[in-house]
Amino acid sequence: MISFRDIHVKALSAEQEALTWESSRGWFSAGRSRDRPMTETDALKISAFYRAVDLRSDSIGRLPVAVKDLRVRREVPGHYLGPVLWERPNEAMTPFVYKKLVEYQRLVLGNCYVWIYRSGNGRPVELLPLPPGTCQPYIQPDNGKLWYIAQDPKTHQIYRLDPEDILHYKGFSVNGVEGMSLLGQAARTLRVASSRDQYEEDVYQNGGRPSGILSTETDLSTKPDIVLADGTKTSYRDVIRKEWDRINTGPGNSMRTAVLDNSLKYTPIAMSNTDAQFVENKAVSVADIARFTGVPLYLLYSGKESFESNSANSVEYVKYTIQPAVTQYEEEDSRKLLTVSERERGLWVCRNMMAELRGDSSSRKDWYKTMREIGVLSVNDILRLEDMPDVPGGDIRYASLNYGPLEEFVEMSRQRAAGGKKNGE
């Protein structure tokens, strides 16, 4: 038995000085004090990044979850996981809030850990997402066994947990054990976007006008230092600069009339076209954020507005961005929430991806029509995808009489040939 004294867990404090793949707390934006690391909260103040993260987590949050029998492709009614999967994962969260939070931590922080509280018979009764920094995977050196060192958020006690008791959803991973933070991967892009926002704010705080030069023919270096009210000394030049900034810059001071004495002259520095475009154009940063998060530009309210291209982008968003995440959720949930015997019987925890495509009524209608005509879906199958009740006789599948089963193709060909000879007589 390994004692906790022998287990070296990473420090769970939020303060990290260096930028690493595992943490983004060491990168800073322009104008930000390097004594205070930037956190994920700072990154979410960038509008495009906030929109992308909010959209991604909403997409996962609204997908219905069910236990299905894959052999018959039908939901299992009254399954014991219902209370924690689609009723109330824990006492503080609705299913939507739970799924949205889990996806946020997985996407932005790279890892989301959910503690599975079980009853005496081993069935899950509560799913509790752990706060960032309170859980850490640990591989036992002597045998390579994976454990999770976690702090109970209710009692604050430290436990060594078997992987069966922790749902671990990962972002992009290079070792399969831990995911990498999106903040760390997108650090440069977010830093540039934050710097641009800071630059734009500074311009408007200064009345939308660039800085200028105060000049005089007097040699200010010969002026004696000035003693301030607090007893400190400052140069004559700094006093003039601070007084000018106090009166003529900042909110509420734009376009005021300046009165100059002591032979002072003010020469403004004109803003170049490059500077103006730098403030006005944020398309580059938005496009980079879209690439990192996998969200189409039009969903970030940027790029070209074309119905045809946006419809195609919407399908690609579901296929290439949402579907891979859903696959990971289904595999992790099914592996750790269902029993071995249930999985052997073909049970699986599934998410209904049709919920993400409900807004595209035209495409959905055409897809239903095609699936119905070739016999893939029945009327009740379509109604279930739309969360509508079944109708009598709706389980019967139909197909065109112009087609027949392949195993009867030879007999149908003989009948058709015999019918042709009879008609020709």
Side-chain angles (χ1 to χ4, degrees):
M1 179 68 67
I2 296 180
S3 67
F4 288 112
R5 294 180 181 179
D6 298 327
I7 299 177
H8 302 284
V9 183
K10 291 182 179 179
L12 302 181
S13 65
E15 302 299 328
Q16 303 269 350
E17 295 183 358
L19 174 64
T20 65
W21 280 114
E22 292 77 16
S23 173
S24 62
R25 301 184 184 277
W27 54 267
F28 313 89
S29 66
R32 185 180 305 277
S33 172
R34 290 184 177 269
D35 296 331
R36 184 177 72 84
M38 176 181 273
T39 66
E40 60 270 12
T41 302
D42 297 316
L44 289 174
K45 293 178 181 179
I46 302 171
S47 61
F49 187 73
Y50 176 89
R51 169 62 178 165
V53 171
D54 189 49
L55 187 69
R56 286 282 304 267
S57 56
D58 279 345
S59 296
I60 296 297
R62 64 170 167 260
L63 296 181
V65 184
V67 177
K68 285 189 176 183
D69 187 339
L70 298 183
R71 296 173 301 178
V72 295
R73 297 289 179 178
R74 293 195 180 278
E75 295 183 11
V76 179
H79 196 273
Y80 63 83
L81 285 179
V84 294
L85 286 182
W86 52 83
E87 292 182 14
R88 199 79 179 181
N90 56 71
E91 61 182 359
M93 301 176 190
T94 63
F96 175 84
V97 172
Y98 165 81
K99 289 179 285 186
K100 182 179 175 69
L101 173 63
V102 167
E103 174 63 8
Y104 163 77
Q105 291 187 358
R106 186 197 72 84
L107 175 66
V108 177
L109 306 181
N111 296 278
C112 178
Y113 304 97
V114 178
W115 194 327
I116 307 173
Y117 283 81
R118 301 182 186 272
S119 62
N121 59 8
R123 291 184 174 181
V125 295
E126 191 174 23
L127 302 178
L128 191 63
L130 296 175
T134 60
C135 187
Q136 177 70 39
Y138 168 75
I139 298 180
Q140 191 169 329
D142 56 348
N143 58 13
K145 165 69 176 175
L146 174 65
W147 299 94
Y148 285 92
I149 311 302
Q151 183 180 44
D152 191 322
K154 297 180 179 180
T155 64
H156 303 292
Q157 290 184 315
I158 303 296
Y159 293 90
R160 185 182 69 173
L161 300 177
D162 190 271
E164 294 296 322
D165 294 323
I166 291 289
L167 294 171
H168 184 186
Y169 307 110
K170 309 176 185 68
F172 182 80
S173 176
V174 295
N175 58 15
V177 178
E178 290 182 280
M180 296 192 301
S181 167
L182 178 62
L183 295 180
Q185 298 176 67
R188 180 180 179 277
T189 293
L190 296 176
R191 189 165 56 238
V192 170
S194 181
S195 299
R196 179 180 284 107
D197 288 345
Q198 183 67 54
Y199 182 86
E200 184 177 12
E201 180 182 0
D202 291 342
V203 169
Y204 287 114
Q205 281 187 343
N206 288 309
R209 295 179 299 175
S211 60
I213 299 175
L214 285 174
S215 61
T216 178
E217 296 180 357
T218 304
D219 186 2
L220 298 181
S221 62
T222 61
K223 297 287 186 179
D225 292 342
I226 297 177
V227 180
L228 302 179
D230 58 0
T232 61
K233 292 184 178 181
T234 185
S235 66
Y236 193 80
R237 181 185 293 106
D238 288 340
V239 171
I240 294 176
R241 181 189 298 110
K242 292 178 181 179
E243 186 66 11
W244 174 269
D245 289 342
R246 183 183 68 83
I247 297 176
N248 297 288
T249 63
N253 293 329
S254 61
M255 308 307 293
R256 294 184 63 181
T257 301
V259 178
L260 304 178
D261 55 7
N262 293 326
S263 302
L264 287 173
K265 296 180 180 180
Y266 177 74
T267 305
I269 301 176
M271 179 181 289
S272 66
N273 292 333
T274 302
D275 292 334
Q277 291 176 0
F278 178 79
V279 173
E280 295 174 0
N281 185 11
K282 297 183 179 182
V284 175
S285 292
V286 174
D288 284 340
I289 290 174
R291 295 186 189 99
F292 274 110
T293 58
V295 176
L297 277 174
Y298 84 95
L299 291 178
L300 301 181
Y301 305 111
S302 182
K304 297 181 179 179
E305 296 294 331
S306 169
F307 178 78
E308 291 77 10
S309 62
N310 290 349
S311 297
N313 289 335
S314 178
V315 174
E316 291 181 353
Y317 168 68
V318 174
K319 182 176 180 180
Y320 297 112
T321 301
I322 301 302
Q323 182 65 54
V326 168
T327 300
Q328 180 182 170
Y329 282 122
E330 292 181 344
E331 292 176 347
E332 184 76 357
D333 292 345
S334 300
R335 174 67 177 80
K336 297 180 179 179
L337 298 180
L338 296 174
T339 63
V340 175
S341 61
E342 286 178 321
R343 295 196 302 272
E344 290 177 347
R345 297 201 315 267
L347 299 192
W348 202 251
V349 179
C350 300
R351 283 165 169 77
N352 185 1
M353 293 292 294
M354 291 303 298
E356 187 65 20
L357 298 174
R358 283 179 180 171
D360 190 357
S361 58
S362 177
S363 299
R364 195 169 73 254
K365 177 193 67 176
D366 293 339
W367 186 78
Y368 284 153
K369 183 175 184 293
T370 302
M371 295 295 103
R372 167 75 169 143
E373 290 178 348
I374 65 177
V376 174
L377 296 178
S378 67
V379 172
N380 282 344
D381 289 332
I382 297 174
L383 290 174
R384 293 185 190 106
L385 292 174
E386 292 293 312
D387 288 333
M388 299 174 66
D390 293 349
V391 296
D395 290 324
I396 300 175
R397 286 179 169 83
Y398 296 95
S400 173
L401 293 177
N402 294 326
Y403 303 96
L406 291 178
E407 60 268 19
E408 299 179 10
F409 179 78
V410 175
E411 182 62 27
M412 292 176 62
S413 298
R414 290 173 180 171
Q415 293 178 2
R416 179 169 297 182
K421 290 180 179 180
K422 183 177 181 179
N423 292 333
E425 293 179 353

